[in-house]
Amino acid sequence: MKIGTVTGSVWSSRKAPCLMGQTFLVVSTTEGDMVAADQVGAGTGDRVLLVTGTVASRFCMEAPVDAAVVAILDPEKN
Amino acid sequence: MKIGTVTGSVWSSRKAPCLMGQTFLVVSTTEGDMVAADQVGAGTGDRVLLVTGTVASRFCMEAPVDAAVVAILDPEKN
Amino acid sequence: MKIGTVTGSVWSSRKAPCLMGQTFLVVSTTEGDMVAADQVGAGTGDRVLLVTGTVASRFCMEAPVDAAVVAILDPEKN
Amino acid sequence: MKIGTVTGSVWSSRKAPCLMGQTFLVVSTTEGDMVAADQVGAGTGDRVLLVTGTVASRFCMEAPVDAAVVAILDPEKN
Amino acid sequence: MKIGTVTGSVWSSRKAPCLMGQTFLVVSTTEGDMVAADQVGAGTGDRVLLVTGTVASRFCMEAPVDAAVVAILDPEKN
């Protein structure tokens, strides 16, 4: 998993039907920006844990996503 | 997922039979150019959301593709 | 697999339910830091073997993780 | 998918039994050289479309390959 | 697949039970060192073909490995 910081979200009116209802966050990592499906209610500024690849898809109930935010790191402990 | 900009498409007369009927777009990203199967009717100049890896294949009905354009970003909001 | 050195762990109170009970280690590799589920009881300073991708998930009993520490290297032999 | 140019092939007498009968091409891409199983009869100098990861394996009838040449680009159109 | 050169092996007494009996080679590639399960009896100095990702796991009878040495290149032909 990667650690990143949420910097915003992306909006799309024209998307694949199976993506409806998903919130997509822009997450800044040391390897560049990624777009990830939010699974924990993260917001801008939160440091988060990102899971990537096929497991993100399974986690998101088989939606065709390849990255998901699965945890928000505790600010005081990390 | 990655954000990229469609810069064109690729043409091939000699391809694996299971790829027939797919449109392949060239998408420029910060990590370089990728070729992705179009799922949303994107065109040159559109900023798009790219899904990569096995999930792209499943999304494209099990075709052997490893990247797919799954959303067009709203120009005014992103 | 990759070789890395454990440099710490991450804490999160707000995480996906299926991640409860997992210990997440920060592992430094030549490609940067990664966060991986601990499967062998590794601690800070240990040189470890990291498995990444879908196989890490299967190894961790289908939890949505994409990296796991699966071995501690013998200090005297490596 | 990635675009690359075939620069040669690799030969191996000592290989895993399930790889027998496959032709392995060296393909030069902007990310470096890759070795890919040929699915379309490509030759040195051809510009080709490469699929990587698990989908390449499925495409090659479950052989343990992680890259496959799946199309030859039309020289006059790309 | 990637081409690399075997530079040694790694030893671990404390590893996940399912990894017992596997030999892990250190393979030097243009992208850095990787650790891969040996499937063909390769030794230090051999130029080899590496398969990575989930297919390596399947190839190794579902062991949680993400890289495997699947062929030794013929020295005189490559």
Side-chain angles (χ1 to χ4, degrees):
Chain A
M1 283 76 69
K2 292 177 181 67
I3 294 175
T5 302
V6 179
T7 60
S9 53
V10 294
W11 298 90
S12 170
S13 315
R14 294 161 63 193
K15 56 185 167 186
C18 51
L19 293 178
M20 300 296 167
Q22 299 266 357
T23 303
F24 290 105
L25 300 173
V26 182
V27 182
S28 171
T29 76
T30 55
E31 293 168 48
D33 284 0
M34 300 186 71
V35 178
D38 184 20
Q39 302 297 315
V40 286
T44 301
D46 282 339
R47 288 187 76 224
V48 295
L49 205 56
L50 271 175
V51 64
T52 57
T54 305
V55 290
S57 169
R58 230 184 293 160
F59 188 60
C60 298
M61 286 166 283
E62 302 296 332
V65 303
D66 61 13
V69 172
V70 294
I72 302 173
L73 302 189
D74 295 350
E76 71 279 10
K77 287 186 179 169
N78 291 285
Chain B
M1 282 77 67
K2 293 176 180 66
I3 294 176
T5 302
V6 179
T7 60
S9 53
V10 295
W11 297 91
S12 169
S13 314
R14 295 161 64 193
K15 57 186 168 186
C18 51
L19 293 179
M20 301 297 168
Q22 300 265 355
T23 303
F24 290 105
L25 300 172
V26 182
V27 182
S28 172
T29 76
T30 55
E31 293 168 48
D33 283 1
M34 299 186 71
V35 178
D38 184 20
Q39 302 298 314
V40 287
T44 300
D46 282 339
R47 288 187 75 224
V48 295
L49 204 57
L50 272 175
V51 64
T52 58
T54 305
V55 290
S57 169
R58 232 184 290 159
F59 188 59
C60 299
M61 285 166 282
E62 302 297 331
V65 304
D66 61 12
V69 172
V70 295
I72 303 173
L73 302 190
D74 295 349
E76 71 280 9
K77 286 188 178 167
N78 292 285
Chain C
M1 283 76 69
K2 293 177 180 67
I3 294 176
T5 302
V6 179
T7 60
S9 53
V10 295
W11 298 90
S12 169
S13 315
R14 294 160 63 193
K15 55 185 167 186
C18 51
L19 293 178
M20 301 296 169
Q22 300 266 355
T23 302
F24 291 105
L25 300 172
V26 181
V27 182
S28 172
T29 75
T30 56
E31 293 168 48
D33 283 359
M34 300 187 70
V35 178
D38 183 20
Q39 303 297 314
V40 287
T44 300
D46 282 339
R47 286 186 78 223
V48 295
L49 205 56
L50 270 176
V51 64
T52 57
T54 304
V55 291
S57 168
R58 230 185 291 160
F59 188 61
C60 299
M61 286 167 283
E62 302 296 331
V65 304
D66 61 13
V69 171
V70 295
I72 303 173
L73 301 189
D74 295 350
E76 70 280 10
K77 286 187 180 169
N78 291 285
Chain D
M1 282 76 68
K2 293 175 181 66
I3 294 176
T5 302
V6 179
T7 60
S9 53
V10 295
W11 298 90
S12 170
S13 314
R14 295 160 64 194
K15 56 185 167 185
C18 51
L19 294 178
M20 301 297 169
Q22 300 265 356
T23 303
F24 291 105
L25 300 172
V26 181
V27 182
S28 171
T29 75
T30 55
E31 294 168 48
D33 283 0
M34 300 186 71
V35 178
D38 184 20
Q39 302 298 312
V40 288
T44 300
D46 283 339
R47 286 187 77 223
V48 296
L49 205 56
L50 271 176
V51 64
T52 58
T54 303
V55 290
S57 169
R58 233 185 287 160
F59 187 59
C60 299
M61 286 167 281
E62 302 295 333
V65 302
D66 62 13
V69 171
V70 295
I72 302 172
L73 301 189
D74 295 350
E76 71 280 8
K77 286 187 178 166
N78 291 285
Chain E
M1 282 76 69
K2 293 176 180 67
I3 293 175
T5 302
V6 180
T7 60
S9 53
V10 295
W11 297 91
S12 169
S13 315
R14 294 160 63 193
K15 56 185 167 186
C18 51
L19 294 178
M20 301 297 168
Q22 300 267 354
T23 303
F24 291 104
L25 300 172
V26 181
V27 182
S28 171
T29 76
T30 56
E31 293 167 51
D33 283 0
M34 299 186 70
V35 178
D38 184 20
Q39 302 298 313
V40 287
T44 301
D46 282 340
R47 286 186 78 223
V48 295
L49 205 55
L50 270 176
V51 64
T52 58
T54 304
V55 291
S57 170
R58 234 185 288 160
F59 187 61
C60 298
M61 287 168 282
E62 302 295 332
V65 304
D66 61 14
V69 171
V70 295
I72 302 172
L73 302 189
D74 294 351
E76 72 279 8
K77 286 187 179 168
N78 292 284

